[in-house]
Amino acid sequence: MASAPWNATFEAILRRGLPGLAQDKTPAADEPLETYGLDSLALIGIVSGLEAAFDISLAGEVVVPVHSLTAGQLWGIVSAAIQPAWDTTRSSNRRSQGPSPWAIA
């Protein structure tokens, strides 16, 4: 079995919001998360958990419709939001920008 393209923290947070994902399975990167029971409320919980765990803001970044969002797409969004340690031009605390008004279609 190929390893997932994301890290263990991402997968642990993802699992909490996917009631239909068996514990012995890894979500397919290209399978809609709706297949595993994702709904808009669960997505809010997942996004909140990801923001806290990675100290990022995903405000306005999750714009893919819930019914077609995949783990691979979500990991891509998270990966893009993670600030590289060498990038000193961006704020070191992105969470101070206020609450995240997620765009969930």
Side-chain angles (χ1 to χ4, degrees):
M1 172 185 242
S3 65
W6 45 77
N7 66 30
T9 301
F10 174 83
E11 187 164 331
I13 293 166
L14 193 60
R15 284 184 174 284
R16 286 185 230 144
L18 301 176
L21 180 62
Q23 286 300 316
D24 62 337
K25 300 285 183 183
T26 298
D30 59 353
E31 182 77 27
L33 294 175
E34 184 179 61
T35 303
Y36 307 112
L38 181 72
D39 60 23
S40 58
L41 291 176
L43 181 57
I44 290 170
I46 290 171
V47 168
S48 177
L50 292 170
E51 287 184 326
F54 292 103
D55 193 29
I56 58 175
S57 173
L58 298 176
E61 299 298 322
V62 183
V63 296
V64 178
V66 172
H67 65 75
S68 63
L69 180 67
T70 68
Q73 289 170 325
L74 187 55
W75 176 242
I77 292 166
V78 170
S79 295
I82 295 173
Q83 177 178 333
W86 50 265
D87 186 354
T88 59
T89 62
R90 295 171 63 182
S91 169
S92 63
N93 187 357
R94 297 186 62 186
R95 300 212 14 105
S96 66
Q97 297 172 354
S100 299
W102 305 300
I104 300 174

